[in-house]
Amino acid sequence: MLTSLPLPALIPGPLAAEEAGVAPATIRKWVQLGHLKAVGKSGRAQLFRLEDVFAAERLARRRLPRPAGA
């Protein structure tokens, strides 16, 4: 017997930005850079998996320059 796993939640770009604490333009930039991939569409809105958004956020934080003396 197969057990059904919960499907990942798909969220539109503006909500993804809100959840990650970034501007919607940042989500679009992550897509441009290949750090985040849309997994679907709802009308014109791209849809993202929340876990993918958080993974892209972690990647972006690791790439930020560190302040001197930190």
Side-chain angles (χ1 to χ4, degrees):
M1 180 168 106
L2 294 174
T3 60
S4 63
L5 297 174
L7 294 175
L10 300 181
I11 58 173
L15 181 55
E18 187 177 318
E19 289 293 324
V22 298
T26 302
I27 296 294
R28 292 190 297 272
K29 187 66 166 181
W30 290 347
V31 170
Q32 262 186 331
L33 294 172
H35 301 312
L36 181 61
K37 184 177 178 185
V39 295
K41 286 192 120 183
S42 176
R44 291 180 54 191
Q46 292 182 313
L47 299 176
F48 303 94
R49 280 191 282 259
L50 190 55
E51 61 264 24
D52 294 344
V53 173
F54 290 143
E57 178 192 23
R58 286 190 301 273
L59 179 64
R61 287 185 192 275
R62 283 196 305 255
R63 292 174 180 256
L64 288 176
R66 297 184 191 260

